[in-house]
Amino acid sequence: MKLKRVLIVGGGPSGSSCGITCARGGLETIVFEKGNPYRDKTCGDTIPANQKTLANLGLIEGVKKRSFLVDSALIHGFSGERVEIRTPMMTLQRSVFDQFLRDELESRGGKVDYGVNIKGIKISDEGVEITDSSGLNYEGDFVVLATGANVSLARSLGFEYSDNPVFALRTYIENVNKLNSNYFWLFRSETNLLGYAWAFPSPGNILNVGVGTRGKDAKLKSKLENFLQDKKMIIGNSGNLTEPKGAPIRIGMRNALNYGSRVILVGENINCAYDLTAEGIGPALESGYLAGKALLGFKEGGDSLKDYQEKLVRKREEFYKGYSQIANLVRSRYGNKLFLRILNNSEKMRVTFGDVIQEEKPSKNIFPMQSLLNFL
Ligand SMILES: Cc1cc2nc3c(=O)[nH]c(=O)nc-3n(C[C@H](O)[C@H](O)[C@H](O)COP(=O)(O)OP(=O)(O)OC[C@H]3O[C@@H](n4cnc5c(N)ncnc54)[C@H](O)[C@@H]3O)c2cc1C
């Protein structure tokens, strides 16, 4: 099969990192983004300061210099216990972060078509044809689905998904108390599910604040209002700078084949966000990068799509499972106390947790069974 022109649907982190990789490798690359330049994306906007894919793409310094940098995360348990994890993080509004990536893509020879909402895909032995909402068709040899939590195009091609479990809501407020760490609070929802709230300092003396939880009946708006009221002493609250905006988050990595004939899934199309932290930007970047590499390998006639799938399976084992196990532990009152107590009592565990956040170590290392048994 000839592979010359790649069509990427979605100009978020996964679409851009895939596009940058393909364009650099000499493929004709077009990203279709339904939003306009600088479009907003509802997000907490925070990522590890040493995010590996940005480093691989040579973009880490460019992101760092635009971001608000902190060197620790303060995690609060159900009963107010607190633990500090020393780990560098950076926060940058997604309108700016995503535009930076799309501009990089264009500077490396790719093209971004803004305001194009793709509604249909046809795949045949000869190639791929996608259609936008005004009926225009675009042809290529391969399509990358990078549409985020909206997986209707992938579903239309037969990829299956279970219902989405996590919803989150965020707004921006002034950082009146000049916080300079990332703050997380864990809470239990009325339905005994794990919820979390956050306050992340952002550039421009702004705090990104939000709440997230499982379940559709999560009443997130009132949870956000209560959170802003309850934590007023810490985060300060001089009123919302923006309307609160909510969105689903696809977590836990799809446990199924993530490619097909002339199509590959990336980002939240593979449910790339982690359980517990709901961090999806880094994994979206990584999956896009790996998919781009796979497409370049495919061009050379290798079996690189299979390789892409195997890398995702390995990642699922090493990172996703560990986060899910911890999320299960901390949602019970006892488990929550235990989690905070172990971290507070063990410098080694805190360092390991920081390394896991930077992806220096797999998440299954946070609480190996032996450590739990030793502790008990
Ligand atoms: C409230 C909230 C807080 C979060 N906080 C964090 C956080 O602090 N850190 C973190 O790492 N992760 C966070 N996440 C998760 C993170 O936002 C996502 O995991 C990440 O954006 C996924 O990247 P993506 O490229 O897969 O999709 P997206 O970033 O969603 O990008 C998809 C793009 O595709 C475009 N698109 C969609 N459909 C079409 C179409 N049919 N045609 C053309 N274009 C289309 C969209 O406009 C969008 O630009 C949060 C999520 C939410 C909802």
Side-chain angles (χ1 to χ4, degrees):
M1 182 214 293
K2 80 172 164 78
L3 178 52
K4 202 166 161 283
R5 180 191 278 190
V6 177
L7 310 179
I8 300 176
V9 188
S14 62
S16 291
S17 66
C18 184
I20 292 169
T21 312
C22 290
R24 261 179 170 185
L27 288 170
E28 189 186 338
T29 306
I30 311 170
V31 170
F32 299 91
E33 169 52 52
K34 69 179 178 186
N36 293 321
Y38 292 96
R39 69 98 183 83
D40 192 18
K41 155 77 178 92
T42 306
C43 191
D45 306 333
T46 205
I47 56 173
N50 300 321
Q51 207 286 321
K52 286 194 163 43
T53 306
L54 289 176
N56 283 336
L57 293 171
L59 302 176
I60 193 103
E61 291 310 321
V63 175
K64 257 188 196 166
K65 89 172 178 226
R66 291 164 173 79
S67 299
F68 192 101
L69 295 163
V70 300
D71 56 19
S72 65
L74 294 168
I75 304 172
H76 300 77
F78 291 168
S79 326
E81 318 88 321
R82 167 172 135 156
V83 63
E84 180 176 20
I85 307 293
R86 308 288 301 173
T87 195
M89 304 291 292
M90 56 184 173
T91 301
L92 181 59
Q93 284 89 343
R94 288 288 300 276
S95 51
V96 181
F97 177 76
D98 290 17
Q99 192 60 39
F100 172 73
L101 295 179
R102 289 189 298 264
D103 288 348
E104 280 296 323
L105 161 67
E106 294 209 281
S107 77
R108 290 165 201 228
K111 184 171 181 293
V112 184
D113 258 357
Y114 290 97
V116 180
N117 190 353
I118 301 301
K119 289 291 186 194
I121 303 183
K122 273 193 215 144
I123 295 180
S124 69
D125 288 347
E126 285 70 50
V128 175
E129 186 181 83
I130 63 176
T131 309
D132 71 16
S133 52
S134 61
L136 285 176
N137 294 327
Y138 309 84
E139 289 178 357
D141 302 309
F142 216 97
V143 63
V144 179
L145 291 183
T147 53
N150 183 340
V151 293
S152 52
L153 288 173
R155 278 196 166 119
S156 76
L157 295 175
F159 293 98
E160 289 176 2
Y161 294 85
S162 50
D163 266 356
N164 201 339
V166 174
F167 289 79
L169 185 72
R170 72 97 171 91
T171 185
Y172 292 105
I173 62 175
E174 203 184 327
N175 187 2
V176 285
N177 289 346
K178 309 279 180 227
L179 300 189
N180 61 2
S181 290
N182 275 0
Y183 282 66
F184 295 88
W185 286 267
L186 299 168
F187 65 82
R188 224 157 108 104
S189 74
E190 308 77 51
T191 44
N192 291 338
L193 294 171
L194 183 64
Y196 56 92
W198 70 84
F200 301 150
S202 307
N205 200 34
I206 283 172
L207 273 185
N208 179 319
V209 289
V211 291
T213 183
R214 288 167 186 254
K216 281 186 182 159
D217 58 342
K219 299 191 189 106
L220 282 182
K221 215 162 180 183
S222 60
K223 283 199 171 68
L224 180 64
E225 280 161 16
N226 292 343
F227 161 64
L228 291 175
Q229 193 53 38
D230 284 358
K231 303 297 173 211
K232 202 171 173 175
M233 293 294 284
I234 301 171
I235 60 180
N237 185 6
S238 51
N240 298 350
L241 295 173
T242 57
E243 269 302 300
K245 277 176 72 178
I249 311 179
R250 295 196 159 274
I251 61 163
M253 171 81 85
R254 245 182 120 246
N255 190 14
L257 204 60
N258 292 303
Y259 67 90
S261 168
R262 294 183 186 273
V263 56
I264 193 162
L265 310 179
V266 296
E268 282 198 41
N269 271 238
I270 61 166
N271 293 3
C272 72
Y274 294 134
D275 208 338
L276 185 69
T277 62
E279 179 204 347
I281 303 169
L285 288 164
E286 185 182 5
S287 64
Y289 175 71
L290 293 176
K293 289 267 178 214
L295 293 184
L296 294 176
F298 194 67
K299 193 176 100 179
E300 315 297 331
D303 203 357
S304 54
L305 298 182
K306 201 167 145 223
D307 190 45
Y308 174 65
Q309 178 71 18
E310 281 168 7
K311 287 200 171 99
L312 296 184
V313 169
R314 213 171 312 134
K315 183 91 189 177
R316 191 168 189 277
E317 286 298 312
E318 291 188 345
F319 280 90
Y320 289 80
K321 278 197 173 167
Y323 274 126
S324 294
Q325 280 161 358
I326 300 168
N328 278 335
L329 174 77
V330 301
R331 82 191 168 89
S332 76
R333 278 185 214 291
Y334 179 71
N336 197 273
K337 244 189 188 18
L338 186 66
F339 173 71
L340 271 292
R341 197 158 356 126
I342 293 177
L343 285 174
N344 262 327
N345 287 344
S346 166
E347 164 77 13
K348 193 169 158 225
M349 287 294 186
R350 290 196 297 276
V351 171
T352 304
F353 199 179
D355 290 345
V356 169
I357 290 171
Q358 302 299 323
E359 305 210 347
E360 302 291 343
K361 284 188 182 151
S363 63
K364 61 184 182 191
N365 285 26
I366 301 179
F367 291 142
M369 194 43 82
Q370 196 52 51
S371 309
L372 274 179
L373 291 176
N374 290 348
F375 192 84
L376 292 169

